[in-house]
Amino acid sequence: MINQASIILKNVFGFDQFRESQEAIIDNVLHRRNTLAIMPTGGGKSLCYQIPGGVFDGLTIVISPLISLMQDQVRQLNELAIPACVLNSSLSDSDYQNNLDALKQQQIKLLFLAPETALQSNILDLLTNCDVACIAIDEAHCISEWGHDFRPEYRQLNRLIECFPRAVCIALTATATPRVRDDIKRQLNIVDSSEFISSFDRPNLFIGVVPKDNPYLQCKKFVEQHPEQSGIIYCQSRKGVDELTSRLQQDGFSALPYHAGLSSIKRSEYQERFIRDDVNIIVATIAFGMGINKPDVRYVLHYDLPKNIEGYYQQIGRAGRDGLDADCLLLFGYGDTGKIRFFIDQMSNEQEKRLANVHLNQMLALAEAEDCRRTPLLAYFGEQSARENCANCDNCTGESKEKSDLTVPAQKFLSCVHRTGQRFGSSHIIDVLRGSSAEKVLQNQHNLLSTYNIGNEYNKKQWMTLARQLIQKGLLNQEEQFGGLKLTQKAGDVLKGKVPFFALLQQPVATTSHTSKTLANPGDQQLVAILKADRKRLADEANLPPYAIFSDRTLNEMAYYFPHSEESLLRIHGVGQAKLEKYGTHFLNLITDYCQQHDLQEISNNQSMSQVNASKTTKPTTSAKSIEIAQAFENGQSVMALAETFKVKPNTINNHLYRYVQQGQRFTRPDFLLEQTQLERDKIDQALNAFEQHTAERLKPVYDALNEQVSYDQLHLLRVYFIHTKANA
């Protein structure tokens, strides 16, 4: 059956190969095993039930909480000649009745329902007369009370599943901690062997955080770096959304608001204008789910701080779903923290309040991170970052921040955690350290401890920052349910003075702003513009969003290879048989006309660009930029001089040199790398020995082995030298 799935993948959807985990997940579902699929937003979850829905003879029911997302998928499936429909209150009476009739006549392959609709007795009666083959539960984290978006109606979906014992169930989500995953599996009777977890990393997203200084000017500058591109800006309140939208409109930006205070008609209209490229920017509340499936969102800006990492991850996940580069920027101000804590304090349930505070602290740890942003982001979902330097966040591409020796205050904090019994949260530990007379401190007689009133060198906010650093760096574990802190083995080394503790105690002042990456776009830009304009016209005529016809990536490939025949067009990513029959002749005519006018020839494409990219991943080639930088370095330009010349951070230059030697290239004067470190020879030898012992794959073990006496910038260069020496020994 997986062969049939592969045929549908190519002929219907126009993709040459499955993405990570998709094939294994689909094969598991086709063998009728209940399945849990954890995949990142934009990672291709929908294909994991759409393709089985095409293979199975019966009906596939898709449960989703977002009306707009359901409607969007139905439009796209019908455009691909896959019969799909939705039953919800947004339909007219006649459309609703037509869909009911089509279901009764077994003309529908995929039916989309909200959970509360699926549990209505009349809908259950209707479905019992259908041959239900598969039940797909999207946003499955809503099942769990431990999820960030728990919905009671999701908890009742087992009633639906019990009605169709022969149907296979697949649960899908992009945001689920290990605890939530276990809860989902227990609720839906999914065995561990049928759980598939893809990496939560979205490597095409640039993740940046800047201290909130003059937020509107920062926002305006960021948007100006993405002219005529689609973007989403998240604010904390409806008032904030309306005020920011108004200012952007006054300054000539194409922007609309989106929040729960607008009527459903307005929300639907504004969202539709956004997905149809009639407006470039949507300004939305953090709390309100948008259900946007627009693949070409090029940036997401958080004007205010999200309440938790799961929400933040879902929101940045709206960007770059087509696989092309996208920018995500958070304006981080401690004033936002106070607003969130105020709302948390209004909660009546103490357990919910504690959990909300834990989640907020985890979000703050990400915002305050001094190393790779992806490390705390992925760690939240139980995944260890594969690389120490992701080369696509502000910390990995920016200048190294000067850390302070905080060993003594860290020892005070850790000692206080130990002496209070390793069961209290950060706030209580800080109260003890600062000599508070709070009732909880006195009740527990913690005012009698030796660590009482020994921490007045810092205010509460500074101690909280240090506490988050200790958790982030693995010296403390925080129990999720009650927020209690426990020491790890690493904490013992710091307490005994064996290992120093260096960290940042406060965010640096905003001195530079984020510089947007240039969108990789290989196609002839004049032709891309022509294809986009015609795509928009066809989409408007067909009452569709432009991406439902062809994605930006597909148009870029067309403008790169200049296909002249149907056979060549079918090799383009995203062009299947259904799209070829509907639009092939039209787009081929546009391309061939353009090529005749500009004397251009078709470029051979015996494999699709996705296969080309896959082969590049397996055996990378050295980029022209890396070669240019390496040659300039060979000619005697220092790392700092190159950073100034190319207007990038020194760390970015180091990354180019690293990739250069990683891909087998040689330096004629490798000792120049050592000169750049400005280290004494004995330190260099110690570092090279450490690389020999710990390998060059990750820098942190080497950094730790050298007692943090050699900076990461120096280690980057020493690693390049080490790899070069090994390769040419």
Side-chain angles (χ1 to χ4, degrees):
M1 282 191 290
I2 197 65
N3 290 337
Q4 194 176 346
S6 298
I7 291 168
I8 292 174
L9 180 75
K10 176 57 186 170
N11 290 351
V12 176
F13 294 95
F15 304 144
D16 294 286
Q17 56 190 18
F18 290 106
R19 292 161 77 171
E20 182 189 4
S21 301
Q22 279 181 332
E23 186 171 4
I25 291 166
I26 290 168
D27 187 54
N28 208 57
V29 173
L30 292 177
H31 280 90
R32 296 189 176 274
R33 303 183 193 110
N34 286 357
T35 303
L36 173 59
I38 313 292
M39 302 174 77
T41 304
K45 292 191 299 297
S46 57
L47 285 184
C48 293
Y49 55 80
Q50 289 175 352
I51 288 180
V55 174
F56 288 137
D57 289 333
L59 176 70
T60 291
I61 299 170
V62 183
I63 304 297
S64 171
L66 300 165
I67 290 175
S68 55
L69 207 55
M70 290 190 279
Q71 292 171 327
D72 188 54
Q73 285 202 44
V74 167
R75 279 190 297 203
Q76 291 193 59
L77 288 168
N78 288 334
E79 185 67 10
L80 293 166
I82 298 174
C85 75
V86 61
L87 293 176
N88 62 36
S89 57
S90 69
L91 299 175
S92 66
D93 290 344
S94 59
D95 285 342
Y96 196 95
Q97 188 58 50
N98 288 339
N99 288 348
L100 287 177
D101 293 342
L103 277 166
K104 290 172 184 174
Q105 294 163 21
Q106 299 184 7
Q107 295 173 351
I108 299 297
K109 294 293 286 179
L110 287 102
L111 168 64
F112 290 77
L113 298 170
E116 55 272 21
T117 306
L119 296 168
Q120 291 173 5
S121 56
N122 61 322
I123 297 296
L124 284 173
D125 290 343
L126 168 71
L127 294 175
T128 51
N129 294 315
C130 299
D131 177 19
V132 178
C134 178
I135 298 172
I137 301 175
D138 203 6
E139 309 293 344
H141 58 273
C142 296
I143 288 174
S144 175
E145 290 176 297
W146 300 108
H148 74 289
D149 195 18
F150 170 60
R151 303 189 183 204
E153 61 271 19
Y154 257 77
R155 201 75 162 180
Q156 300 167 34
L157 285 174
N158 55 345
R159 282 173 46 205
L160 176 69
I161 293 166
E162 286 167 5
C163 290
F164 305 99
R166 292 178 58 247
V168 63
C169 176
I170 174 172
L172 309 102
T173 178
T175 54
T177 61
R179 187 174 198 169
V180 171
R181 297 201 293 266
D182 288 342
D183 203 10
I184 295 170
K185 286 185 289 185
R186 187 168 55 254
Q187 293 291 320
L188 300 178
N189 297 316
I190 297 170
V191 297
D192 289 344
S193 60
S194 288
E195 177 182 25
F196 297 86
I197 305 174
S198 301
S199 172
F200 284 89
D201 191 15
R202 292 282 308 283
N204 63 314
L205 301 185
F206 185 98
I207 300 173
V209 179
V210 296
K212 188 186 278 190
D213 183 17
N214 187 327
Y216 181 70
L217 287 180
Q218 288 172 301
C219 168
K220 184 180 174 186
K221 185 171 183 180
F222 184 68
V223 171
E224 285 171 344
Q225 291 169 348
H226 300 83
E228 301 303 314
Q229 292 180 347
S230 295
I232 303 174
I233 302 173
Y234 285 104
C235 296
Q236 205 170 57
S237 67
R238 299 178 192 179
K239 182 182 176 185
V241 166
D242 289 335
E243 288 177 354
L244 179 56
T245 305
S246 177
R247 290 191 71 178
L248 287 169
Q249 289 172 343
Q250 287 170 13
D251 282 340
F253 294 101
S254 169
L256 286 173
Y258 192 94
H259 56 68
L262 298 169
S263 69
S264 59
I265 294 172
K266 277 291 181 191
R267 288 201 307 271
S268 178
E269 177 197 337
Y270 290 171
Q271 181 165 300
E272 196 71 9
R273 288 177 65 184
F274 180 61
I275 67 172
R276 288 176 185 267
D277 292 344
D278 293 329
V279 65
N280 293 332
I281 304 165
I282 282 284
V283 185
T285 48
I286 288 170
F288 199 81
M290 289 180 64
I292 288 287
N293 192 32
K294 187 172 165 59
D296 58 349
V297 173
R298 293 272 68 86
Y299 62 92
V300 167
L301 172 67
H302 279 90
Y303 201 80
D304 300 312
L305 184 73
K307 292 182 290 186
N308 53 57
I309 286 181
E310 287 182 57
Y312 171 75
Y313 180 79
Q314 277 206 330
Q315 288 146 18
I316 65 171
R318 307 273 177 223
R321 297 176 76 143
D322 52 9
L324 301 179
D325 288 343
D327 284 329
C328 305
L329 183 65
L330 165 64
L331 304 182
F332 176 43
Y334 283 103
D336 295 340
T337 310
K339 294 174 193 172
I340 296 172
R341 290 204 192 279
F342 173 78
F343 288 117
I344 292 173
D345 288 340
Q346 308 310 303
M347 294 179 176
S348 55
N349 185 304
E350 284 300 317
Q351 185 173 327
E352 285 181 11
K353 190 182 291 189
R354 278 193 296 267
L355 194 58
N357 272 308
V358 169
H359 287 165
L360 175 58
N361 283 330
Q362 289 165 329
M363 185 66 225
L364 288 171
L366 189 152
E368 294 168 337
E370 60 199 44
D371 298 319
C372 179
R373 299 275 180 207
R374 281 174 165 78
T375 300
L377 181 63
L378 297 179
Y380 178 83
F381 296 106
E383 180 180 344
Q384 188 172 351
S385 183
R387 294 166 295 168
E388 188 146 336
N389 187 309
C390 73
N392 208 23
C393 78
D394 57 341
N395 283 346
C396 287
T397 58
E399 294 174 355
S400 299
K401 297 166 187 171
E402 196 64 41
K403 300 176 190 176
S404 304
D405 186 347
L406 301 177
T407 306
V408 172
Q411 288 171 330
K412 288 181 181 181
F413 194 96
L414 296 170
S415 178
C416 196
V417 170
H418 174 69
R419 292 179 187 280
T420 54
Q422 301 190 65
R423 59 193 184 91
F424 294 91
S426 299
S427 186
H428 180 77
I429 299 299
I430 294 165
D431 281 347
V432 175
L433 287 169
R434 288 179 45 78
S436 169
S437 298
E439 184 181 352
K440 191 174 178 183
V441 173
L442 301 179
Q443 272 183 351
N444 287 282
Q445 296 189 327
H446 289 163
N447 57 317
L448 304 179
L449 296 175
S450 60
T451 51
Y452 182 75
N453 201 28
I454 64 168
N456 283 303
E457 68 267 39
Y458 297 138
N459 61 34
K460 188 154 189 171
K461 190 166 87 172
Q462 289 172 314
W463 275 117
M464 286 299 292
T465 301
L466 178 63
R468 288 190 290 269
Q469 297 276 8
L470 290 166
I471 294 168
Q472 186 188 326
K473 291 177 180 292
L475 281 78
L476 290 171
N477 286 329
Q478 186 167 34
E479 198 271 324
E480 191 174 69
Q481 186 171 357
F482 300 111
L485 299 173
K486 295 186 185 301
L487 303 177
T488 67
Q489 190 173 345
K490 288 176 75 174
D493 292 335
V494 172
L495 274 170
K496 293 170 188 173
K498 291 181 179 178
V499 176
F501 183 77
F502 285 85
L504 293 171
L505 198 56
Q506 61 187 39
Q507 283 289 103
V509 178
T511 53
T512 58
S513 62
H514 171 67
T515 302
S516 169
K517 293 175 64 181
T518 304
L519 175 64
N521 214 349
D524 181 303
Q525 289 307 287
Q526 197 174 339
L527 178 56
V528 168
I530 292 169
L531 298 178
K532 280 188 174 181
D534 230 62
R535 178 185 65 175
K536 178 77 171 84
R537 182 182 61 77
L538 290 171
D540 288 345
E541 288 174 0
N543 196 27
L544 290 168
Y547 58 78
I549 293 179
F550 286 127
S551 70
D552 281 3
R553 179 178 171 182
T554 300
L555 299 189
N556 286 331
E557 287 196 25
M558 288 180 185
Y560 180 87
Y561 288 110
F562 308 121
H564 279 41
S565 66
E566 289 189 351
E567 183 185 6
S568 298
L569 196 59
L570 273 173
R571 293 195 187 104
I572 299 294
H573 173 89
V575 181
Q577 198 62 44
K579 294 282 183 78
L580 180 74
E581 290 171 6
K582 194 170 268 191
Y583 303 114
T585 302
H586 181 86
F587 278 84
L588 281 171
N589 288 339
L590 289 174
I591 294 165
T592 52
D593 286 351
Y594 183 83
C595 288
Q596 285 174 5
Q597 292 169 22
H598 295 84
D599 195 24
L600 296 168
Q601 300 298 315
E602 178 176 348
I603 296 173
S604 175
N605 178 21
N606 293 324
Q607 54 183 341
S608 75
M609 192 176 278
S610 61
Q611 290 172 306
V612 171
N613 288 340
S615 67
K616 283 181 181 176
T617 304
T618 309
K619 187 178 180 182
T621 57
T622 311
S623 73
K625 181 65 73 178
S626 292
I627 292 171
E628 183 184 0
I629 286 171
Q631 287 174 346
F633 185 79
E634 285 270 66
N635 291 331
Q637 286 197 49
S638 68
V639 170
M640 294 304 294
L642 288 168
E644 198 169 321
T645 301
F646 288 93
K647 292 183 170 45
V648 294
K649 305 292 186 188
N651 203 31
T652 304
I653 299 297
N654 291 335
N655 284 330
H656 278 292
L657 298 177
Y658 175 55
R659 286 195 288 269
Y660 184 77
V661 296
Q662 251 195 333
Q663 292 157 19
Q665 304 291 346
R666 295 187 58 177
F667 287 114
T668 56
R669 42 185 302 222
D671 285 351
F672 189 47
L673 290 159
L674 302 182
E675 290 176 29
Q676 290 289 294
T677 66
Q678 298 182 334
L679 288 169
E680 299 293 334
R681 187 70 220 190
D682 62 329
K683 276 288 182 201
I684 290 172
D685 291 339
Q686 286 176 29
L688 295 177
N689 288 335
F691 276 119
E692 193 75 56
Q693 184 180 349
H694 297 281
T695 78
E697 188 174 334
R698 297 178 65 239
L699 290 180
K700 187 149 196 337
V702 179
Y703 181 69
D704 291 340
L706 297 169
N707 293 323
E708 304 181 357
Q709 298 301 306
V710 179
S711 73
Y712 275 111
D713 285 343
Q714 292 167 323
L715 286 177
H716 273 295
L717 290 166
L718 289 169
R719 176 165 64 175
V720 174
Y721 178 86
F722 178 79
I723 293 171
H724 183 277
T725 305
K726 283 288 182 186
N728 297 288

